[in-house]
Amino acid sequence: MEEKIDFERLRKEMVRHQIQGRGITNENVLSAFLRVPREEFVPLEMKNFAYDDCPLPIGFGQTISQPYMVAIMTELAEPEKKDKVLEIGTGSGYQTAILCEIGCVVYSIERIPELAERAKQTLEKLGYDPEIIIGDGTLGYQENSPYKIIIVTAGAPEIPKSLVEQLDENGRIIIPVGDMFSQELIRGIKRKGKLIREFHGGCQFVPLMGKEGWK
Ligand code: SAH
């Protein structure tokens, strides 16, 4: 008989060791991580590894990010309840769920329709209600701008101008910038219309493809 996996215990251990253990303190972030079932966002054959300290394949050459990476990006964004957030790269929908759990109003763009559809179903099943848009996220989503927070979960050659334009005053954009294989995590804060950049260490994301990304 197959052994049943205690996902709740794995989730608590993941938060304690991978997230808190590496210095994440934001209460909104920690409690969201304790509540979102990550095992629902990975393919069936990957469920045993859902709480491992690494990214996992989700099909179409894409990945669900390592838990710590999702945590650090979310902490840098400083999300509060009701904040309007634009996410580029829905992927599995896990980061989307974390933002919804915090109480943000989330718009998330994904360029691969099959991934968008699957994420939508998972999120709906768990009771989250973000707006998932299929399209090129490098151009943002003008209709609902400006955004308090923009989180880009794919690696960009540079910060897309459209995204900076759609960011609110005092808003934050979190984005990995570099080449196709490795990037630096950047937080940009918009002050008097200009973007002030901070650098938060090396990372590795799949490429951000699109008009203002990789061609
Ligand atoms: N936050 C996701 C990360 C998925 S990987 C998760 O944890 O599951 C990054 C995703 O960005 C991929 O699904 C990829 O298809 C998508 N992507 C790449 N370029 C994009 C673009 N221009 N617009 C929207 N999505 C894009």
Side-chain angles (χ1 to χ4, degrees):
M1 206 179 87
E2 209 177 295
E3 216 181 307
K4 209 161 173 279
I5 306 169
D6 187 352
F7 286 120
E8 186 144 350
R9 184 177 60 83
L10 292 178
R11 192 176 314 129
K12 281 185 184 149
E13 285 177 4
M14 180 266 282
V15 170
R16 180 162 333 128
H17 299 297
Q18 300 176 37
I19 313 285
Q20 280 184 298
R22 294 196 180 114
I24 303 290
T25 55
N26 183 307
E27 279 302 326
N28 282 341
V29 177
L30 294 174
S31 56
F33 268 80
L34 283 172
R35 287 197 299 265
V36 176
R38 185 171 164 92
E39 69 274 15
E40 299 290 332
F41 294 88
V42 304
L44 218 51
E45 66 277 13
M46 289 283 155
K47 288 218 190 296
N48 290 358
F49 313 111
Y51 291 92
D52 285 8
D53 193 8
C54 57
L56 294 171
I58 55 171
F60 304 92
Q62 309 303 324
T63 55
I64 174 172
S65 303
Q66 174 197 22
Y68 174 69
M69 193 46 68
V70 180
I72 184 80
M73 291 179 91
T74 313
E75 180 164 85
L76 287 170
E78 296 174 15
E80 297 286 346
K81 232 183 161 96
K82 304 258 165 75
D83 279 352
K84 202 179 350 161
V85 182
L86 179 66
E87 178 193 20
I88 317 298
T90 316
S92 68
Y94 180 66
Q95 169 81 76
T96 322
I98 294 286
L99 293 162
C100 289
E101 186 64 54
I102 290 169
C104 300
V105 178
V106 186
Y107 300 87
S108 184
I109 311 180
E110 171 56 55
R111 63 185 280 274
I112 300 176
E114 292 87 344
L115 287 179
E117 199 45 53
R118 198 200 294 157
K120 211 173 177 167
Q121 283 174 15
T122 311
L123 290 157
E124 208 165 277
K125 175 179 146 196
L126 294 171
Y128 300 119
D129 189 27
E131 188 174 326
I132 309 284
I133 302 116
I134 297 170
D136 177 4
T138 64
L139 303 175
Y141 189 49
Q142 180 86 49
E143 286 89 325
N144 287 286
S145 68
Y147 301 94
K148 263 253 109 80
I149 293 167
I150 299 181
I151 295 188
V152 183
T153 66
E158 55 194 42
I159 304 182
K161 279 199 180 61
S162 302
L163 298 185
V164 179
E165 277 164 21
Q166 293 173 31
L167 193 61
D168 212 345
E169 179 65 13
N170 293 318
R172 283 84 58 193
I173 179 168
I174 318 297
I175 178 169
V177 177
D179 60 31
M180 284 276 217
F181 309 101
S182 76
Q183 304 86 28
E184 172 98 23
L185 187 59
I186 295 182
R187 170 164 74 175
I189 305 181
K190 199 164 177 180
R191 292 267 151 78
K192 298 197 179 111
K194 283 194 68 174
L195 202 67
I196 315 291
R197 287 171 173 73
E198 296 167 357
F199 298 87
H200 290 275
C203 52
Q204 284 185 310
F205 280 83
V206 297
L208 179 75
M209 308 299 298
K211 255 208 167 110
E212 296 188 39
W214 296 101
K215 304 295 182 307

